[in-house]
Amino acid sequence: QVQLVESGGGLVQPGGSLRLSCAASGFTFTSYAMNWYRQAPGKDRELVATITSGGIQLNYADPVKGRFTISRDNAKNMVYLQMNSLKLEDTAVYYCHPDGGRFWHTWGQGTLVTVSS
């Protein structure tokens, strides 16, 4: 059974930081690139960051470049998203997800990040 459990979200002021975590199980974690997505109010889900299976190549959406860092710990089946210099427009539910079509119907509960002054 594939499981994706996100945590670490919360309420933060503009300019603040949060570290999101994702615990993955039920598949061969080291075989897959991992993604972070987010869905803001009134908008479609969007890809935020990608990390390859070995953790060497990192890619980010333009709005978060220079502020967010994706990482993974293959020994623990964990993916992380360090978010710095948070802005109001970063408010969204954040999801982790393996890069594979067979996982499309398998999503975690997400973790809510609210940036507000």
Side-chain angles (χ1 to χ4, degrees), residues 7-24:
S7 61
L11 177 64
V12 64
Q13 294 191 112
S17 297
L18 284 174
R19 191 192 194 205
L20 307 184
S21 298
C22 169

mmCIF file with all atom_site columns, all heavy atoms in Angstrom, residues 7-24:
data_model
loop_
_atom_site.group_PDB
_atom_site.id
_atom_site.type_symbol
_atom_site.label_atom_id
_atom_site.label_alt_id
_atom_site.label_comp_id
_atom_site.label_asym_id
_atom_site.label_entity_id
_atom_site.label_seq_id
_atom_site.pdbx_PDB_ins_code
_atom_site.Cartn_x
_atom_site.Cartn_y
_atom_site.Cartn_z
_atom_site.occupancy
_atom_site.B_iso_or_equiv
_atom_site.pdbx_formal_charge
_atom_site.auth_seq_id
_atom_site.auth_comp_id
_atom_site.auth_asym_id
_atom_site.auth_atom_id
_atom_site.pdbx_PDB_model_num
ATOM 1   N N   . SER A 1 7  ? 4.006  16.560 6.534  1.00 0.00 ? 7  SER A N   1
ATOM 2   C CA  . SER A 1 7  ? 3.899  17.239 7.816  1.00 0.00 ? 7  SER A CA  1
ATOM 3   C C   . SER A 1 7  ? 4.786  18.482 7.808  1.00 0.00 ? 7  SER A C   1
ATOM 4   O O   . SER A 1 7  ? 5.597  18.673 6.912  1.00 0.00 ? 7  SER A O   1
ATOM 5   C CB  . SER A 1 7  ? 4.288  16.315 8.968  1.00 0.00 ? 7  SER A CB  1
ATOM 6   O OG  . SER A 1 7  ? 5.635  15.888 8.850  1.00 0.00 ? 7  SER A OG  1
ATOM 7   N N   . GLY A 1 8  ? 4.613  19.322 8.814  1.00 0.00 ? 8  GLY A N   1
ATOM 8   C CA  . GLY A 1 8  ? 5.472  20.477 8.993  1.00 0.00 ? 8  GLY A CA  1
ATOM 9   C C   . GLY A 1 8  ? 4.863  21.814 8.636  1.00 0.00 ? 8  GLY A C   1
ATOM 10  O O   . GLY A 1 8  ? 5.479  22.857 8.870  1.00 0.00 ? 8  GLY A O   1
ATOM 11  N N   . GLY A 1 9  ? 3.667  21.810 8.070  1.00 0.00 ? 9  GLY A N   1
ATOM 12  C CA  . GLY A 1 9  ? 3.024  23.064 7.727  1.00 0.00 ? 9  GLY A CA  1
ATOM 13  C C   . GLY A 1 9  ? 2.529  23.805 8.948  1.00 0.00 ? 9  GLY A C   1
ATOM 14  O O   . GLY A 1 9  ? 2.573  23.302 10.070 1.00 0.00 ? 9  GLY A O   1
ATOM 15  N N   . GLY A 1 10 ? 2.055  25.017 8.718  1.00 0.00 ? 10 GLY A N   1
ATOM 16  C CA  . GLY A 1 10 ? 1.547  25.826 9.804  1.00 0.00 ? 10 GLY A CA  1
ATOM 17  C C   . GLY A 1 10 ? 1.399  27.267 9.388  1.00 0.00 ? 10 GLY A C   1
ATOM 18  O O   . GLY A 1 10 ? 1.507  27.607 8.210  1.00 0.00 ? 10 GLY A O   1
ATOM 19  N N   . LEU A 1 11 ? 1.150  28.109 10.374 1.00 0.00 ? 11 LEU A N   1
ATOM 20  C CA  . LEU A 1 11 ? 0.996  29.544 10.164 1.00 0.00 ? 11 LEU A CA  1
ATOM 21  C C   . LEU A 1 11 ? 2.336  30.234 10.384 1.00 0.00 ? 11 LEU A C   1
ATOM 22  O O   . LEU A 1 11 ? 2.980  30.035 11.419 1.00 0.00 ? 11 LEU A O   1
ATOM 23  C CB  . LEU A 1 11 ? -0.052 30.106 11.121 1.00 0.00 ? 11 LEU A CB  1
ATOM 24  C CG  . LEU A 1 11 ? -0.300 31.607 11.090 1.00 0.00 ? 11 LEU A CG  1
ATOM 25  C CD1 . LEU A 1 11 ? -0.851 32.032 9.736  1.00 0.00 ? 11 LEU A CD1 1
ATOM 26  C CD2 . LEU A 1 11 ? -1.256 31.997 12.208 1.00 0.00 ? 11 LEU A CD2 1
ATOM 27  N N   . VAL A 1 12 ? 2.748  31.052 9.425  1.00 0.00 ? 12 VAL A N   1
ATOM 28  C CA  . VAL A 1 12 ? 4.034  31.726 9.503  1.00 0.00 ? 12 VAL A CA  1
ATOM 29  C C   . VAL A 1 12 ? 3.901  33.139 8.939  1.00 0.00 ? 12 VAL A C   1
ATOM 30  O O   . VAL A 1 12 ? 3.093  33.385 8.044  1.00 0.00 ? 12 VAL A O   1
ATOM 31  C CB  . VAL A 1 12 ? 5.119  30.922 8.749  1.00 0.00 ? 12 VAL A CB  1
ATOM 32  C CG1 . VAL A 1 12 ? 4.808  30.842 7.264  1.00 0.00 ? 12 VAL A CG1 1
ATOM 33  C CG2 . VAL A 1 12 ? 6.503  31.502 8.991  1.00 0.00 ? 12 VAL A CG2 1
ATOM 34  N N   . GLN A 1 13 ? 4.681  34.064 9.474  1.00 0.00 ? 13 GLN A N   1
ATOM 35  C CA  . GLN A 1 13 ? 4.668  35.437 8.984  1.00 0.00 ? 13 GLN A CA  1
ATOM 36  C C   . GLN A 1 13 ? 5.495  35.579 7.708  1.00 0.00 ? 13 GLN A C   1
ATOM 37  O O   . GLN A 1 13 ? 6.414  34.789 7.467  1.00 0.00 ? 13 GLN A O   1
ATOM 38  C CB  . GLN A 1 13 ? 5.217  36.389 10.047 1.00 0.00 ? 13 GLN A CB  1
ATOM 39  C CG  . GLN A 1 13 ? 4.359  36.495 11.289 1.00 0.00 ? 13 GLN A CG  1
ATOM 40  C CD  . GLN A 1 13 ? 4.795  37.626 12.184 1.00 0.00 ? 13 GLN A CD  1
ATOM 41  O OE1 . GLN A 1 13 ? 4.083  38.622 12.338 1.00 0.00 ? 13 GLN A OE1 1
ATOM 42  N NE2 . GLN A 1 13 ? 5.973  37.494 12.766 1.00 0.00 ? 13 GLN A NE2 1
ATOM 43  N N   . PRO A 1 14 ? 5.189  36.566 6.878  1.00 0.00 ? 14 PRO A N   1
ATOM 44  C CA  . PRO A 1 14 ? 6.027  36.814 5.699  1.00 0.00 ? 14 PRO A CA  1
ATOM 45  C C   . PRO A 1 14 ? 7.491  36.970 6.090  1.00 0.00 ? 14 PRO A C   1
ATOM 46  O O   . PRO A 1 14 ? 7.812  37.615 7.088  1.00 0.00 ? 14 PRO A O   1
ATOM 47  C CB  . PRO A 1 14 ? 5.461  38.114 5.127  1.00 0.00 ? 14 PRO A CB  1
ATOM 48  C CG  . PRO A 1 14 ? 4.038  38.125 5.584  1.00 0.00 ? 14 PRO A CG  1
ATOM 49  C CD  . PRO A 1 14 ? 4.059  37.502 6.956  1.00 0.00 ? 14 PRO A CD  1
ATOM 50  N N   . GLY A 1 15 ? 8.371  36.355 5.298  1.00 0.00 ? 15 GLY A N   1
ATOM 51  C CA  . GLY A 1 15 ? 9.793  36.369 5.598  1.00 0.00 ? 15 GLY A CA  1
ATOM 52  C C   . GLY A 1 15 ? 10.251 35.226 6.469  1.00 0.00 ? 15 GLY A C   1
ATOM 53  O O   . GLY A 1 15 ? 11.469 35.015 6.623  1.00 0.00 ? 15 GLY A O   1
ATOM 54  N N   . GLY A 1 16 ? 9.321  34.469 7.016  1.00 0.00 ? 16 GLY A N   1
ATOM 55  C CA  . GLY A 1 16 ? 9.657  33.353 7.877  1.00 0.00 ? 16 GLY A CA  1
ATOM 56  C C   . GLY A 1 16 ? 10.025 32.102 7.108  1.00 0.00 ? 16 GLY A C   1
ATOM 57  O O   . GLY A 1 16 ? 10.057 32.085 5.877  1.00 0.00 ? 16 GLY A O   1
ATOM 58  N N   . SER A 1 17 ? 10.289 31.029 7.859  1.00 0.00 ? 17 SER A N   1
ATOM 59  C CA  . SER A 1 17 ? 10.728 29.765 7.282  1.00 0.00 ? 17 SER A CA  1
ATOM 60  C C   . SER A 1 17 ? 9.943  28.598 7.846  1.00 0.00 ? 17 SER A C   1
ATOM 61  O O   . SER A 1 17 ? 9.468  28.635 8.988  1.00 0.00 ? 17 SER A O   1
ATOM 62  C CB  . SER A 1 17 ? 12.214 29.530 7.568  1.00 0.00 ? 17 SER A CB  1
ATOM 63  O OG  . SER A 1 17 ? 13.031 30.514 6.971  1.00 0.00 ? 17 SER A OG  1
ATOM 64  N N   . LEU A 1 18 ? 9.821  27.550 7.041  1.00 0.00 ? 18 LEU A N   1
ATOM 65  C CA  . LEU A 1 18 ? 9.244  26.282 7.457  1.00 0.00 ? 18 LEU A CA  1
ATOM 66  C C   . LEU A 1 18 ? 9.991  25.162 6.757  1.00 0.00 ? 18 LEU A C   1
ATOM 67  O O   . LEU A 1 18 ? 10.506 25.347 5.648  1.00 0.00 ? 18 LEU A O   1
ATOM 68  C CB  . LEU A 1 18 ? 7.764  26.179 7.092  1.00 0.00 ? 18 LEU A CB  1
ATOM 69  C CG  . LEU A 1 18 ? 6.738  26.948 7.918  1.00 0.00 ? 18 LEU A CG  1
ATOM 70  C CD1 . LEU A 1 18 ? 5.366  26.811 7.263  1.00 0.00 ? 18 LEU A CD1 1
ATOM 71  C CD2 . LEU A 1 18 ? 6.697  26.447 9.350  1.00 0.00 ? 18 LEU A CD2 1
ATOM 72  N N   . ARG A 1 19 ? 10.031 24.005 7.398  1.00 0.00 ? 19 ARG A N   1
ATOM 73  C CA  . ARG A 1 19 ? 10.586 22.804 6.782  1.00 0.00 ? 19 ARG A CA  1
ATOM 74  C C   . ARG A 1 19 ? 9.506  21.738 6.721  1.00 0.00 ? 19 ARG A C   1
ATOM 75  O O   . ARG A 1 19 ? 9.036  21.267 7.761  1.00 0.00 ? 19 ARG A O   1
ATOM 76  C CB  . ARG A 1 19 ? 11.783 22.270 7.560  1.00 0.00 ? 19 ARG A CB  1
ATOM 77  C CG  . ARG A 1 19 ? 12.555 21.174 6.815  1.00 0.00 ? 19 ARG A CG  1
ATOM 78  C CD  . ARG A 1 19 ? 13.544 20.470 7.711  1.00 0.00 ? 19 ARG A CD  1
ATOM 79  N NE  . ARG A 1 19 ? 14.503 19.674 6.950  1.00 0.00 ? 19 ARG A NE  1
ATOM 80  C CZ  . ARG A 1 19 ? 15.156 18.624 7.430  1.00 0.00 ? 19 ARG A CZ  1
ATOM 81  N NH1 . ARG A 1 19 ? 14.959 18.243 8.684  1.00 0.00 ? 19 ARG A NH1 1
ATOM 82  N NH2 . ARG A 1 19 ? 16.011 17.966 6.666  1.00 0.00 ? 19 ARG A NH2 1
ATOM 83  N N   . LEU A 1 20 ? 9.121  21.359 5.515  1.00 0.00 ? 20 LEU A N   1
ATOM 84  C CA  . LEU A 1 20 ? 8.130  20.320 5.318  1.00 0.00 ? 20 LEU A CA  1
ATOM 85  C C   . LEU A 1 20 ? 8.808  18.958 5.200  1.00 0.00 ? 20 LEU A C   1
ATOM 86  O O   . LEU A 1 20 ? 9.902  18.847 4.657  1.00 0.00 ? 20 LEU A O   1
ATOM 87  C CB  . LEU A 1 20 ? 7.309  20.577 4.058  1.00 0.00 ? 20 LEU A CB  1
ATOM 88  C CG  . LEU A 1 20 ? 6.654  21.954 3.933  1.00 0.00 ? 20 LEU A CG  1
ATOM 89  C CD1 . LEU A 1 20 ? 5.794  22.003 2.674  1.00 0.00 ? 20 LEU A CD1 1
ATOM 90  C CD2 . LEU A 1 20 ? 5.830  22.284 5.171  1.00 0.00 ? 20 LEU A CD2 1
ATOM 91  N N   . SER A 1 21 ? 8.134  17.925 5.696  1.00 0.00 ? 21 SER A N   1
ATOM 92  C CA  . SER A 1 21 ? 8.634  16.563 5.615  1.00 0.00 ? 21 SER A CA  1
ATOM 93  C C   . SER A 1 21 ? 7.612  15.673 4.942  1.00 0.00 ? 21 SER A C   1
ATOM 94  O O   . SER A 1 21 ? 6.407  15.917 5.021  1.00 0.00 ? 21 SER A O   1
ATOM 95  C CB  . SER A 1 21 ? 8.934  16.012 7.018  1.00 0.00 ? 21 SER A CB  1
ATOM 96  O OG  . SER A 1 21 ? 9.943  16.758 7.667  1.00 0.00 ? 21 SER A OG  1
ATOM 97  N N   . CYS A 1 22 ? 8.087  14.635 4.285  1.00 0.00 ? 22 CYS A N   1
ATOM 98  C CA  . CYS A 1 22 ? 7.230  13.649 3.642  1.00 0.00 ? 22 CYS A CA  1
ATOM 99  C C   . CYS A 1 22 ? 7.787  12.262 3.917  1.00 0.00 ? 22 CYS A C   1
ATOM 100 O O   . CYS A 1 22 ? 8.932  11.970 3.557  1.00 0.00 ? 22 CYS A O   1
ATOM 101 C CB  . CYS A 1 22 ? 7.164  13.896 2.138  1.00 0.00 ? 22 CYS A CB  1
ATOM 102 S SG  . CYS A 1 22 ? 6.391  12.570 1.183  1.00 0.00 ? 22 CYS A SG  1
ATOM 103 N N   . ALA A 1 23 ? 6.988  11.421 4.549  1.00 0.00 ? 23 ALA A N   1
ATOM 104 C CA  . ALA A 1 23 ? 7.336  10.028 4.792  1.00 0.00 ? 23 ALA A CA  1
ATOM 105 C C   . ALA A 1 23 ? 6.649  9.168  3.741  1.00 0.00 ? 23 ALA A C   1
ATOM 106 O O   . ALA A 1 23 ? 5.429  9.190  3.623  1.00 0.00 ? 23 ALA A O   1
ATOM 107 C CB  . ALA A 1 23 ? 6.916  9.610  6.197  1.00 0.00 ? 23 ALA A CB  1
ATOM 108 N N   . ALA A 1 24 ? 7.433  8.413  2.975  1.00 0.00 ? 24 ALA A N   1
ATOM 109 C CA  . ALA A 1 24 ? 6.915  7.596  1.885  1.00 0.00 ? 24 ALA A CA  1
ATOM 110 C C   . ALA A 1 24 ? 7.107  6.122  2.184  1.00 0.00 ? 24 ALA A C   1
ATOM 111 O O   . ALA A 1 24 ? 8.112  5.714  2.779  1.00 0.00 ? 24 ALA A O   1
ATOM 112 C CB  . ALA A 1 24 ? 7.609  7.954  0.574  1.00 0.00 ? 24 ALA A CB  1
#
